Amino acid sequence: QSVLTQPPSASGTPGQRVTISCSGSNSNIGRNIVAWYQQFPGAAPKLLINSNNQRPSGVPDRFSASKSGTSASLAISGLQSEDEADYYCSAWDDSLTGRVFGGGTKVTVL
Amino acid sequence: DVQLVESGGGLVQPGGSLRLSCVCSGFNFRTYWMSWVRQVPGKGLEWVATTRESGRGKHYVDLVKGRFTVSRDDATKSLFLQMNSLRVEDTAVYYCARENYAIDYWGQGTLVTVSS
């Protein structure tokens, strides 16, 4: 059971907008930056964006993030086939004094 | 370019020990918190341990407390994870990661298999 809660799956057709939610608590999402990671099979995770909407260079602006209270979300606009991957949210938890992750969301492009 | 390169994974029997290493380059290592994160193949990400800059503070997930020790050598820009009393459930890919209010860089991972 992950500390942060994500839906196990999400899907959309090319060009659609897909949103992934991440629910936590005051000790993690409520107080700290939330980061989103993209992971392809057999590869290491890669930082996609954080809750301040900061993206590393090379990440397209189709990816956007937001946070409100103890929940965060990742939106993928103009869904493309290469977006098919697993997505994880994460934040530092001040009560656990450690990093917590969501269980991951598998995005499928139909 | 920032690079994190892990090594030290392998097959070990339950109750055994293993030491993972992560050599870093491309950034001022001594000023960053560093973490280990693991992933059972086909499953999600699980944070294992974090060391603050200069090793001033270390934090562990409850499952590994008393068995794993995270350490760092700022002179060689290296991060380590000493794993003792290994259990079958510790089998996973272990990633070295740089903390910058969030993990912003990951290594490629090293596979640890605990099996008799």
Side-chain angles (χ1 to χ4, degrees), chain A residues 22-99:
Chain A
C22 176
S23 177
S25 67
N26 284 323
S27 62
N28 42 66
I29 292 179
R31 294 183 189 175
N32 297 303
I33 288 175
V34 179
W36 290 89
Y37 302 94
Q38 180 187 57
Q39 186 179 34
F40 296 105
K46 183 187 80 167
L47 175 64
L48 201 57
I49 192 169
N50 67 29
S51 50
N52 292 331
N53 247 328
Q54 296 168 316
R55 287 179 297 272
S57 60
V59 175
D61 59 7
R62 302 186 292 103
F63 293 92
S64 62
S66 63
K67 186 178 88 165
S68 178
T70 59
S71 294
S73 63
L74 171 71
I76 310 173
S77 302
L79 191 66
Q80 299 184 5
S81 58
E82 58 259 37
D83 299 332
E84 195 161 279
D86 293 323
Y87 294 83
Y88 294 90
C89 60
S90 178
W92 188 263
D93 191 299
D94 290 340
S95 294
L96 297 174
T97 320
R99 177 161 294 288

